[in-house]
Amino acid sequence: MTAKIGVITFPGTLDDQDAARAVKYAGAEAVSLWHADADLRGVDAVIVPGGFSYGDYLRCGAIARFAPVMGPVIEAAAKGMPILGICNGFQILCEAGLLPGALVRNSELHFVCRDQWLRVENTTTAWSTRYDQGAEILIPLKSGEGGYVAEPNTLAELEGEGRVVFRYAGANPNGSLNEIAGITDARGRVVGLMPHPEHAIDALTGPSDDGLGMFLSAIDALVKA
């Protein structure tokens, strides 16, 4: 049976179609989920994509966190459904309490748009098993509020439990503490990262096809479930 992966669209979302394309590239069925519907339509996993949900008013993701669709997303996450938050989606997951910490303005106060090298730190999550430990992957990064911050005890917990999934390799592009680019929850089912793997699924249209591994990893996780 083909896995069904939902992709949420909020007002201001702009990378939902790219995320759906990545899902299809990986061999799964992409299912559109609307922010105003408290219904996940029977999907097996969910992607919260990038963009500027609700215009980034108040804080990035602060309004989207209360959208009707997020109720069942939070419930599904509690039951172990794989959830991936990309860029604004990462911010939304943090606002929703599914991941710890927060994303703040980049350290130089400029929007950063570049192809960014990441180092894979954790290959056991639902979204990272296709990678080798320590591998460096090239993924586009485009954000103005991508600096990851957390309380010292939270950082220590993330590091101590191996919950940093991706780390910026080379120069830190946004001032993220500990060069953190992506993290996971304690069970390895919910992952958030600032770079955009959906823009790196085909070397013809992106800097690499390194991002495809995240979507293939999720399908593997669903097959094993």
Side-chain angles (χ1 to χ4, degrees):
M1 182 178 293
T2 302
K4 295 182 178 181
I5 300 181
V7 180
I8 301 175
T9 300
F10 298 96
T13 296
L14 57 82
D15 292 311
D16 47 348
Q17 294 303 310
D18 299 81
R21 177 170 172 262
V23 168
K24 295 172 186 174
Y25 253 59
E29 177 185 346
V31 178
S32 296
L33 302 177
W34 187 238
H35 70 103
D37 296 334
D39 181 5
L40 297 187
R41 300 180 59 191
V43 301
D44 305 301
V46 170
I47 296 172
V48 189
F52 305 90
S53 59
Y54 298 93
D56 281 348
Y57 288 106
L58 299 182
R59 290 185 310 276
C60 299
I63 299 177
R65 174 262 178 273
F66 292 103
V69 73
M70 289 305 296
V73 167
I74 292 170
E75 293 173 3
K79 297 175 182 177
M81 177 181 286
I83 312 288
L84 178 66
I86 303 170
C87 196
N88 187 222
F90 185 12
Q91 296 162 338
I92 293 168
L93 295 184
C94 288
E95 289 284 344
L98 292 179
L99 291 172
L103 287 306
V104 300
R105 288 291 303 275
N106 295 342
S107 55
E108 299 297 322
L109 305 183
H110 293 296
F111 190 93
V112 173
C113 185
R114 66 172 72 159
D115 295 332
Q116 176 69 45
W117 286 100
L118 308 178
R119 186 170 59 254
V120 180
E121 301 281 358
N122 181 332
T123 62
T124 66
T125 79
W127 300 92
S128 62
T129 54
R130 284 287 185 116
Y131 298 107
D132 294 326
Q133 183 79 26
E136 293 195 356
I137 60 177
L138 187 61
I139 306 290
L141 173 70
K142 51 174 190 176
S143 55
E145 282 114 342
Y148 182 77
V149 297
E151 294 291 340
N153 61 320
T154 299
L155 283 175
E157 183 177 282
L158 290 173
E159 296 287 2
E161 296 179 359
R163 289 168 53 193
V164 176
V165 184
F166 304 103
R167 211 181 296 271
Y168 296 114
N172 189 325
N174 50 30
S176 289
L177 298 180
N178 295 15
E179 291 76 45
I180 290 174
I183 61 173
T184 185
D185 68 343
R187 292 192 292 179
R189 306 294 282 181
V190 179
V191 168
L193 75 162
M194 285 309 295
H196 287 261
E198 77 279 16
H199 296 329
I201 60 170
D202 187 326
L204 181 65
T205 57
S208 71
D209 61 0
D210 292 343
L212 189 59
M214 296 187 207
F215 305 96
L216 292 171
S217 294
I219 294 173
D220 291 345
L222 293 172
V223 169
K224 295 175 182 176

